[in-house]
Amino acid sequence: MIFFKARVLLWPLLLITVLVVAGTGAAFAFGGLNALALSSLFTSTSNERDSQVVQSVTRVQEVALLSLHIEGVARHESNGEILGVAIPASEKTTLIQYKFDAKLGIDGSQVKIEPTGPESFRVTIPQFIGIGFDDPVFEDPLESNNALSWLAPPAVQTRMINNILSDENKQKYITQNAAALKEQAKVFYSGIIASVDPEITIGFEFAG
């Protein structure tokens, strides 16, 4: 009788166990479906767009007279400071090696050719300009650090490159090569006029 009673009392336990397992599986399946549903509802997309509008078109008649091959090393130095006082051993030096061809010339639309006699002309040359840079190459920056150089602000590579290609440097190249630019301008326009009439006398006048 005791054994029989024990067998009878096992059925409720088995029934409860089956219900718990079934409920757990249903909850798991339902949660999985919910996760899939949520993942399909909440998605992310990214898109990049670049809109450009040409506002005006300007005709340029730039005449390149000289091409200078330039090579050099740009240097940037910085150090950490406390209340405006430099911290010892905090110096940082950044070097960038570069090379490019600088094109110098004039705006051809500003050149004036005027007659000064029956067979003579005067050619007025405007101010020389920096036309641009060809084949620029900038090597990866090199840094020289001291023990506390992490306190110094880092060099901005784009700013260093912009300084190398600045209008100030263009003007420096023009000043250094002013004589060669004038001579090349004479050769260029003398050749054009001589191809029309080699007997014409030509005088030159330079702006500035």
Side-chain angles (χ1 to χ4, degrees):
M1 292 296 293
I2 296 174
F3 178 73
F4 178 76
K5 290 182 179 179
R7 288 184 58 190
V8 172
L9 291 176
L10 286 176
W11 287 107
L13 294 177
L14 292 175
L15 180 60
I16 293 172
T17 302
V18 170
L19 291 176
V20 170
V21 171
T24 303
F28 179 80
F30 184 73
L33 290 175
N34 281 343
L36 291 175
L38 288 175
S39 64
S40 63
L41 288 175
F42 297 97
T43 59
S44 62
T45 59
S46 62
N47 185 28
E48 294 184 3
R49 182 177 300 174
D50 183 5
S51 299
Q52 296 181 347
V53 177
V54 178
Q55 300 291 348
S56 63
V57 177
T58 303
R59 294 181 181 272
V60 294
Q61 300 178 26
E62 294 173 335
V63 178
L65 300 174
L66 290 180
S67 180
L68 309 176
H69 184 69
I70 307 294
E71 294 188 15
V73 177
R75 183 185 185 95
H76 179 273
E77 296 179 341
S78 61
N79 57 267
E81 294 183 353
I82 297 180
L83 299 177
V85 179
I87 302 173
S90 67
E91 297 82 4
K92 176 184 293 184
T93 302
T94 303
L95 304 176
I96 294 182
Q97 187 176 356
Y98 62 88
K99 60 182 178 180
F100 54 79
D101 294 328
K103 296 172 65 176
L104 309 178
I106 56 175
D107 180 357
S109 64
Q110 301 298 317
V111 175
K112 296 180 181 179
I113 302 177
E114 303 168 309
T116 56
E119 293 189 357
S120 62
F121 284 85
R122 180 178 62 249
V123 180
T124 303
I125 304 295
Q127 290 186 342
F128 298 111
I129 60 175
I131 295 177
F133 301 96
D134 285 343
D135 304 321
V137 176
F138 298 93
E139 302 294 341
D140 293 334
L142 301 175
E143 285 190 353
S144 175
N145 298 317
N146 287 319
L148 300 177
S149 60
W150 55 273
L151 295 172
V156 181
Q157 185 176 354
T158 54
R159 187 179 303 166
M160 294 181 67
I161 293 175
N162 288 337
N163 289 336
I164 294 170
L165 304 178
S166 64
D167 292 337
E168 182 180 354
N169 279 337
K170 289 181 183 178
Q171 188 57 49
K172 181 181 69 174
Y173 301 144
I174 291 171
T175 302
Q176 293 174 345
N177 296 276
L181 285 166
K182 290 181 178 180
E183 185 61 30
Q184 187 60 25
K186 291 179 180 180
V187 171
F188 182 79
Y189 284 98
S190 294
I192 293 176
I193 296 174
S195 64
V196 178
D197 187 348
E199 301 299 326
I200 291 179
T201 302
I202 306 170
F204 287 88
E205 183 177 318
F206 294 90

